Amino acid sequence: MCGIVGYVGANDACPFLITGLQRLEYRGYDSAGIATYRPGEGIRTTRVAGRVQELETAVKSRSMVGSLGIGHTRWATHGPATEANAHPHLGGNGILALVHNGVIENYESIKQSLLAKGYHFASQTDTEVVAHLAAECLKTRLADPNQEPNIGVYVEAVQETLAQLRGTYGLVLMFRQFPDLLIAARCGSPLVIGVGKGEQFVASDTSPLVGFTEKIIYLADHQIAVIRPDSIQVVHRDQGRVRPEIQTLSAQSQDVNLDGFEHYMLKEIYEQPDSIRNALRGRIDRDDATAKFGGLNLTPQQLRSVQRIILTGCGTSWHSALVGEYLIEELARMPVEVEYASELRYRNPPVDHKTIVFGITQSGETADTLAALREMKRKGHHTLAICNVIGSSIAQAADGGVYLHAGPEVGVASTKAFTSQLTVLSMLALYFGRLRFLSFEAGLRIIDQLEKLPEAVEEALQTHTQVKSIAHRFHAATNFLYLGRNFNFPTALEGALKLKEISYIHAEGYPAAEMKHGPIALVDENTPSVFIVPKGTVYDKVLSNLQEVKARGGPVIAIVDHFDQQVANLADEVIQIPAVEDFLQPVVASIPLQLLAYEIAILRGCDVDKPRNLAKSVTVE
Ligand code: G6P
C-alpha cells in the first residue's frame, strides 16, 4: 500500500520522483525516501521518517541529482515508521537499491538463510530481505568469470529472487553497475510504466505520470519489465517475452488542487452536488423509465436470469454495499448479500451459478476487494466493479462495471465516492427493478427523485455553519453513538466511521433499536448520540429510541427532514436536511455527518486529509 516511483532517462530524476511521491501520499505517508544514481557517486539514498515535504527538503539540502532513480512513500507493515525502515533499501554492499509495495510472507525464513551467509540487516522490514536476496542472486552471477555482466544477468538474478518470494509485491530495482536500467516486477501490487521519449517512468498508479507522459503500460501479475531510456521489454514468468499493450492515460487524475479549500476532504464534501451529477450523467433513460449502463457486459436477458447479488467491499465502500442491499431488495425485489471482501476472499459460501458479484471500491486497488472478486470469478461468477479510478486493478480484473466519475478523491476519509456509489447503486436498483416487476410509472418516480438529488445535497451543505457550532459544543467528547434504522442504519455506521477516522474519537454506529442490547450502557451526559431520524416508515420507532437516550441523560443531535416540535423538545441540537424519498436519505443525511466529523477533527487539531495510521488505498491484506 505504499507508493512507488522510478525514472530512467536523460533528465534529472528528482523532479519526477518528488512530484510523483507527493501524488502518491494517499497510499501511505509515514516515511519516504529516494535513491539516485550519478556516475562517480554511485547509488545515494535520502530517507526520512515523515512526509514527502520533509523528504523534498532533505533531497534539496543534499543536492541529490541523477538520471536514474527510485522513490517510495510508506505505510508501515513490518517495523515502525523510522528512517531505517523507510525505502529504498540497499542490497549487499549497495550493489542495488529497491522499493517495494506489498507483503513478503516468507521473509523470516529467507532472512535466516541470508544472516547465515553474513548479510547484515539495518531495518525490520520484509523489503530489505528482498534487497539482500537479489544482491545474493546477482553476486553469484557476477562472480562467474565465464559470464559477461550483461542485462540478461540482471534479469535472471531478479527472476531467481522472485521465484523464492511468497506474498505480494510491486518492486522496482536499480543497480550500481548498470546506470541506465530499472527492473520492475509485479505480483498482486500494481505497477504502471510511463513511456516517454528517451526517458521512462514507473509508478504504482497513474497519478504521478500525469503531465510527464500520456502513454502507459500496465504490468500484469508475474510480469517483469526491463526498462531502459529507449526500450521497454516485458517478460512473463510462464509465457516468456510478451508484447506490452500501450494505452492512453486518461486525464482524470489531473484535477488534484485545493481550489481555495483548506483541505481536500472539505473540497470533496462540497463537490458532491457535481460528483452526483456526473454519476447520473448519461445513465437516465426517461423513455423506458429506467437507467442504462454501458459496461455491465451482460444482456438484459442474462441480467433477467440473475437470482442473487453479492455486494462486497471494505470500509466506506462496504457501507455503500449495505445501503445497496436495502436499495436492490426494496426496488428490485432481488435477494442481496453483503460481504466484507476480507472475509469473502477466504470463505467458501455456497453460491449458485445465477449469482453475480459487485465489488465496490473507490480506488480500485484495495487488496481484499481485488482478491474477493478474483476468487468469485474463478468460481465462474460474473464479476462487476463499481469503481472510481479508471484503469485500476479492480476495474481491469472485473468482467464489467460502472465507473463513478467522481473525479480524484484525495482526502483519506471517503466522502464524494460514498455518495456517488449510492447514486450508482440506486440506478442499478432501478434498472434491475425495471427488468422485473417495477412499473413504468414507479420507474419515472424514482428518476424524478434521482434528478433532484444534486440540489438536495446542495441544500444539505447549507447546514455547515450550524454543524460548526455543534462541533464546538461536542468536540471534547470521547465517545459518540450514531443511530439510525432501515436505510439509515448504514448511514449511522458511515457517520461513526467518518468521526473515528479523522478525529480519533471512539464512535459506534448501530441500528437505533439494537442500542438497547448493549450500547445504551454507554449513554451518559458526556456521550452524545447522533440520531438520523427523517420522516419515513420507521420514524416513530426511532423517536422512541431517541427518547430512551434522553431519559438516561444523553445529549442528542437529531438529523431531521422536517420541523417537528417533538424532536425539537427532546434533542439538544436539531439539524434539518431537505426531504427526499427514504431510499435517497443516506446520501443527503451523510452531508451533515461528514461536516460534523470534519469540524470536530479541525477543532481537535487533527490532520484531516492524512489521519494517523490510515491510508487512502489499502493494497495489503
Ligand atoms: C481505506 C480508506 C477508506 C476506504 C477503504 C476502501 O481504508 O481509508 O476510506 O473506504 O480503504 O477503499 P476503496 O478504495 O476500496 O473504496
Side-chain angles (χ1 to χ4, degrees):
M1 68 188 244
C2 312
I4 286 180
V5 283
Y7 176 89
V8 57
N11 297 315
D12 181 20
C14 290
F16 169 72
L17 298 181
I18 296 292
T19 309
L21 290 180
Q22 276 160 349
R23 294 184 192 168
L24 284 172
E25 269 196 307
Y26 74 91
R27 300 174 77 96
Y29 37 78
D30 55 33
S31 47
I34 65 165
T36 54
Y37 177 88
R38 194 180 187 191
E41 282 183 350
I43 297 177
R44 287 176 76 200
T45 59
T46 297
R47 302 178 301 170
V48 298
R51 301 278 164 90
V52 175
Q53 205 178 358
E54 291 154 52
L55 175 69
E56 188 179 10
T57 314
V59 164
K60 279 192 185 136
S61 74
R62 296 193 63 211
S63 313
M64 281 185 75
V65 283
S67 53
L68 176 74
I70 54 180
H72 190 268
T73 172
R74 180 168 184 251
W75 186 83
T77 56
H78 297 69
T82 58
E83 187 183 327
N85 286 333
H87 304 209
H89 287 285
L90 297 177
N93 58 358
I95 191 173
L96 59 87
L98 62 78
V99 284
H100 167 225
N101 175 23
V103 172
I104 305 301
E105 288 163 4
N106 58 338
Y107 82 102
E108 195 52 59
S109 60
I110 301 174
K111 188 170 181 175
Q112 291 311 320
S113 72
L114 289 166
L115 281 168
K117 286 183 179 136
Y119 283 87
H120 295 288
F121 288 83
S123 78
Q124 293 146 285
T125 63
D126 51 344
T127 304
E128 193 184 9
V129 173
V130 183
H132 284 323
L133 179 62
E136 173 66 14
C137 296
L138 191 57
K139 199 179 86 188
T140 336
R141 285 182 168 74
L142 293 179
D144 183 351
N146 299 320
Q147 192 142 25
E148 276 286 297
N150 58 33
I151 209 159
V153 169
Y154 289 84
V155 175
E156 277 173 23
V158 172
Q159 282 170 324
E160 189 191 336
T161 307
L162 301 182
Q164 296 176 63
L165 304 181
R166 253 198 357 257
T168 53
Y169 53 79
L171 284 167
V172 184
L173 300 94
M174 59 188 271
F175 306 90
R176 187 169 62 200
Q177 286 165 299
F178 226 116
D180 64 349
L181 168 70
L182 287 176
I183 295 185
R186 171 187 166 149
C187 175
S189 300
L191 280 180
V192 55
I193 301 165
V195 185
K197 285 202 179 84
E199 59 181 356
Q200 324 279 8
F201 312 86
V202 195
S204 44
D205 73 32
T206 55
S207 58
L209 306 177
V210 173
F212 290 91
T213 178
E214 283 175 358
K215 289 198 253 165
I216 55 168
I217 296 168
Y218 288 104
L219 267 198
D221 277 349
H222 308 302
Q223 287 185 343
I224 70 170
V226 181
I227 307 166
R228 306 192 65 187
D230 294 309
S231 68
I232 296 164
Q233 285 177 16
V234 178
V235 184
H236 187 276
R237 183 189 62 185
D238 308 319
Q239 298 150 12
R241 183 109 173 247
V242 292
R243 207 190 159 89
E245 188 196 339
I246 299 184
Q247 301 184 26
T248 306
L249 176 61
S250 98
Q252 195 203 32
S253 34
Q254 293 186 24
D255 184 19
V256 283
N257 47 49
L258 277 165
D259 284 347
F261 283 92
E262 211 175 320
H263 295 97
Y264 283 107
M265 182 179 175
L266 190 60
K267 176 186 173 217
E268 287 154 8
I269 290 174
Y270 271 85
E271 278 173 353
Q272 289 175 105
D274 281 340
S275 51
I276 291 170
R277 275 186 201 106
N278 288 340
L280 291 168
R281 186 161 294 125
R283 291 181 171 145
I284 297 292
D285 177 356
R286 279 198 162 268
D287 293 343
D288 290 331
T290 187
K292 54 184 183 195
F293 301 94
L296 297 182
N297 298 335
L298 284 171
T299 62
Q301 288 71 23
Q302 287 169 320
L303 280 167
R304 184 79 185 80
S305 66
V306 170
Q307 291 195 347
R308 198 159 70 123
I309 292 177
I310 294 180
L311 302 177
T312 190
C314 302
T316 290
S317 295
W318 182 78
H319 293 159
S320 295
L322 285 180
V323 180
E325 179 180 24
Y326 283 92
L327 280 165
I328 296 170
E329 292 194 351
E330 177 88 13
L331 302 183
R333 317 269 345 122
M334 288 172 75
V336 177
E337 271 169 45
V338 176
E339 298 270 1
Y340 281 113
S342 53
E343 291 297 310
L344 182 60
R345 65 181 292 186
Y346 292 121
R347 281 184 61 214
N348 195 13
V351 181
D352 69 36
H353 66 283
K354 291 183 174 160
T355 299
I356 59 170
V357 184
F358 280 92
I360 306 177
T361 169
Q362 187 286 128
S363 62
E365 301 295 348
T366 304
D368 286 324
T369 310
L370 179 60
L373 272 198
R374 283 195 172 139
E375 177 62 10
M376 297 314 277
K377 194 170 172 172
R378 244 175 256 131
K379 290 187 166 140
H381 300 289
H382 193 78
T383 56
L384 294 152
I386 298 176
C387 178
N388 195 30
V389 177
I390 292 170
S392 55
S393 299
I394 293 172
Q396 291 186 59
D399 298 308
V402 187
Y403 279 122
L404 302 179
H405 299 304
E409 191 180 67
V410 179
V412 164
S414 184
T415 51
K416 65 175 179 172
F418 177 65
T419 50
S420 292
Q421 286 165 347
L422 301 191
T423 308
V424 164
L425 285 161
S426 308
M427 287 188 287
L428 280 169
L430 164 66
Y431 179 59
F432 289 136
R434 287 288 290 135
L435 286 174
R436 289 172 170 74
F437 78 100
L438 206 64
S439 71
F440 186 89
E441 288 69 28
L444 276 188
R445 277 199 300 277
I446 290 170
I447 288 177
D448 288 342
Q449 289 290 318
L450 279 167
E451 288 183 331
K452 283 189 208 144
L453 189 59
E455 281 108 88
V457 168
E458 238 149 48
E459 217 178 307
L461 284 166
Q462 289 165 21
T463 59
H464 193 166
T465 314
Q466 186 198 0
V467 169
K468 211 171 186 164
S469 75
I470 297 173
H472 270 279
R473 183 166 172 190
F474 293 109
H475 73 277
T478 48
N479 284 302
F480 265 77
L481 290 175
Y482 284 73
L483 302 157
R485 284 180 89 160
N486 206 328
F487 280 102
N488 286 313
F489 156 48
T491 316
L493 292 182
E494 176 60 9
L497 179 66
K498 284 293 85 83
L499 187 73
K500 68 185 136 198
E501 279 179 316
I502 61 167
S503 75
Y504 319 143
I505 295 175
H506 171 243
E508 291 205 34
Y510 254 86
E514 190 64 19
M515 171 198 73
K516 298 186 289 292
H517 303 288
I520 200 162
L522 300 175
V523 171
D524 62 16
E525 64 282 5
N526 299 317
T527 304
S529 292
V530 181
F531 272 89
I532 304 136
V533 56
K535 273 276 189 214
T537 44
V538 287
Y539 171 76
D540 291 329
K541 310 281 175 198
V542 184
L543 212 56
S544 311
N545 304 138
L546 194 156
Q547 261 154 338
E548 287 152 15
V549 167
K550 266 329 283 183
R552 285 157 183 85
V556 166
I557 302 163
I559 299 188
V560 301
D561 63 356
H562 65 292
F563 180 76
D564 181 323
Q565 196 55 53
Q566 215 185 340
V567 179
N569 291 343
L570 284 170
D572 300 74
E573 300 282 354
V574 180
I575 303 171
Q576 192 170 337
I577 54 170
V580 290
E581 287 284 318
D582 56 0
F583 75 97
L584 293 177
Q585 280 167 0
V587 176
V588 183
S590 290
I591 306 299
L593 298 182
Q594 295 166 350
L595 290 167
L596 184 65
Y598 174 82
E599 291 299 342
I600 289 179
I602 294 290
L603 289 167
R604 292 169 73 99
C606 301
D607 185 347
V608 289
D609 282 338
K610 294 194 177 79
R612 72 180 181 207
N613 303 341
L614 300 182
K616 183 77 186 148
S617 179
V618 181
T619 57
V620 293
E621 273 197 68

